[in-house]
Amino acid sequence: AHGRGYACEAMRVILAWADRTLEGERTVCLIEPENRGSIRLAQKLGYLEFARGDYRNRSCILLERRIAR
């Protein structure tokens, strides 16, 4: 199913639920820099990079998306 848009479709449904349900101000993705496909998908869904760092001794990028109200 790689490259057929299933992940994007599934994430749009999840984010619509999050926008209706979650009380927080944002959702966050933690993605390894080498995972370009996941970074592109996150950006397509409205996530923006806000930090870089390490998690469990591995480099990571943190992206955030504000909850739509």
Side-chain angles (χ1 to χ4, degrees):
H2 183 73
R4 295 190 181 191
Y6 295 138
C8 186
E9 184 178 340
M11 283 304 303
R12 287 191 195 280
V13 171
I14 291 166
L15 291 173
W17 172 85
D19 289 345
R20 291 189 315 271
T21 307
L22 297 181
E23 295 181 14
E25 295 180 14
R26 67 183 181 162
T27 56
V28 174
C29 296
L30 183 146
I31 304 172
E32 291 183 343
E34 299 81 19
N35 193 338
R36 299 199 188 281
S38 290
I39 293 168
R40 278 192 307 272
L41 176 59
Q43 291 170 335
K44 184 176 184 177
L45 294 167
Y47 283 86
L48 300 172
E49 181 177 334
F50 72 93
R52 288 182 179 240
D54 293 316
Y55 178 72
R56 295 188 177 190
N57 297 319
R58 297 187 75 155
S59 295
C60 66
I61 299 171
L62 293 163
L63 302 100
E64 68 180 348
R65 176 188 170 275
R66 296 288 168 188
I67 298 287
R69 302 263 183 236

